[in-house]
């Protein structure tokens, strides 16, 4: 069964304390892996798309990497404004011809960064 | 760019009434929009895919007659929750794809969601 597992569920960091969020996936053929940021009471905000193992993408203090089994979202020297829930989602090859919106989402990692 | 606006952000209604939620793409044309439902500490779940000018495609287990979707134009899709019950209380989010070429890996752009509470 295709699934996405994110860990940890919650992560508390001090400002400046770097860390990583994990997204493990099991899917019969990966078309793409997506990272989103979601603030309370808001919709997800797109961060990155990764397509193949070994790929990396960066945006400010965030860096996303991808292997054949998992993706990491590295946060370097986080600030309080980085506090949010980070969602990982995958699109499976089996879904070709199905809905492009049918992503398999993880439950997210709630990040809190204290000043 | 790629802004999706959803309205209202919060709505409280009485059991048995219907509620309409609007999703608009503000700066691009969206031939396809998607509707999701999110429960606390749960994953986002796709409810239906909305195509402009045609009937929506519903995911398995989603009641078509309860969740009416209309995609009247390239910038507007609506979700109507009919005869709402307390168990319909949830966070509903829409999204749209901005890539006019329809690239399969185009990122989804989400609205800010609607918190529905049915009393």
């Amino acid at each position: 069964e295709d699934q996405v597992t994110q860990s940890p569920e919650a992560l508390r960091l001090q400002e400046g304390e770097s860390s990583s969020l994990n997204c493990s996936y099991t899917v019969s053929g990966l078309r793409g892996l997506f990272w989103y940021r979601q603030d309370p009471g808001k919709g997800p905000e797109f961060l990155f798309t990764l397509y193949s193992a070994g790929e990396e993408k960066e945006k400010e203090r965030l860096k996303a990497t991808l292997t054949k089994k998992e993706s990491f979202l590295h946060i370097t020297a986080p600030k309080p404004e980085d506090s949010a829930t980070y969602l990982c989602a995958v699109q499976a090859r089996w879904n070709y011809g199905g809905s492009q919106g049918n992503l398999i989402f993880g439950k997210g990692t709630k990040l809190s960064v204290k000043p | 760019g790629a802004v999706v606006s959803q309205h209202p952000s919060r709505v409280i209604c009485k059991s048995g009434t219907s509620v309409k939620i609007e999703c608009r793409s503000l700066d691009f044309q969206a031939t396809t929009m998607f509707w999701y439902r999110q429960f606390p500490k749960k994953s986002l779940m796709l409810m239906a895919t909305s195509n402009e000018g045609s009937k929506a495609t519903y995911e398995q287990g989603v009641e078509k007659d309860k969740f009416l979707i209309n995609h009247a134009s390239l910038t507007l899709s609506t979700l109507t929750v009919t005869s709402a019950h307390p168990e319909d209380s949830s966070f509903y989010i829409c999204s749209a794809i901005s890539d006019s070429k329809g690239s399969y890996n185009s990122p989804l752009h989400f609205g800010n969601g609607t918190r529905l509470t049915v009393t």
Side-chain angles (χ1 to χ4, degrees):
Chain A
E1 181 184 347
D2 297 335
Q3 62 181 5
V4 174
T5 304
Q6 289 188 248
S7 62
E9 277 191 31
L11 180 63
R12 293 184 178 184
L13 300 174
Q14 287 295 128
E15 185 171 1
E17 180 186 1
S18 301
S19 187
S20 296
L21 281 55
N22 177 265
C23 171
S24 297
Y25 64 90
T26 304
V27 65
S28 50
L30 179 72
R31 289 190 68 87
L33 184 142
F34 304 84
W35 281 99
Y36 287 88
R37 168 191 171 131
Q38 186 174 24
D39 292 300
K42 302 290 185 182
E45 175 189 347
F46 171 73
L47 293 174
F48 305 108
T49 308
L50 301 166
Y51 298 108
S52 57
E55 189 174 0
E56 299 182 351
K57 288 195 177 172
E58 287 188 67
K59 180 180 179 181
E60 297 181 352
R61 295 178 291 282
L62 301 176
K63 178 180 177 180
T65 61
L66 180 66
T67 71
K68 289 185 178 180
K69 294 183 178 181
E70 58 192 347
S71 176
F72 290 94
L73 185 65
H74 306 279
I75 302 178
T76 302
K79 298 181 178 181
E81 52 261 43
D82 294 323
S83 297
T85 295
Y86 290 86
L87 301 175
C88 171
V90 299
Q91 191 167 56
R93 290 190 184 278
W94 63 260
N95 196 38
Y96 185 79
S99 172
Q100 291 165 269
N102 202 358
L103 304 180
I104 305 167
F105 279 89
K107 294 181 181 180
T109 293
K110 185 176 181 180
L111 174 66
S112 300
V113 182
K114 301 296 183 184
Chain B
V3 177
V4 177
S5 175
Q6 196 171 333
H7 178 80
S9 58
R10 291 176 180 272
V11 59
I12 300 172
C13 70
K14 292 186 177 180
S15 188
T17 62
S18 295
V19 174
K20 181 184 282 187
I21 302 169
E22 291 188 349
C23 180
R24 294 180 185 271
S25 56
L26 297 186
D27 52 358
F28 65 98
Q29 292 185 331
T31 54
T32 306
M33 291 185 173
F34 308 95
W35 288 95
Y36 296 81
R37 189 170 177 175
Q38 188 177 35
F39 291 104
K41 297 186 178 182
K42 297 289 185 182
S43 306
L44 273 164
M45 296 298 294
L46 179 67
M47 298 174 64
T49 301
S50 168
N51 295 295
E52 187 267 338
S54 64
K55 291 184 178 180
T57 303
Y58 291 81
E59 295 302 307
Q60 194 171 13
V62 178
E63 298 178 60
K64 301 178 182 181
D65 295 332
K66 180 161 197 62
F67 299 101
L68 300 180
I69 291 172
N70 182 273
H71 197 149
S73 73
L74 286 172
T75 60
L76 173 65
S77 176
T78 60
L79 167 68
T80 302
V81 182
T82 62
S83 187
H85 288 96
E87 57 264 32
D88 297 326
S89 298
S90 189
F91 193 52
Y92 293 88
I93 310 176
C94 72
S95 71
I97 289 180
S98 62
D99 188 333
S100 60
K101 295 180 181 179
S103 171
Y104 211 83
N105 285 336
S106 298
L108 297 176
H109 299 283
F110 288 85
N112 274 333
T114 297
R115 172 71 61 192
L116 171 63
T117 304
V118 184
T119 61

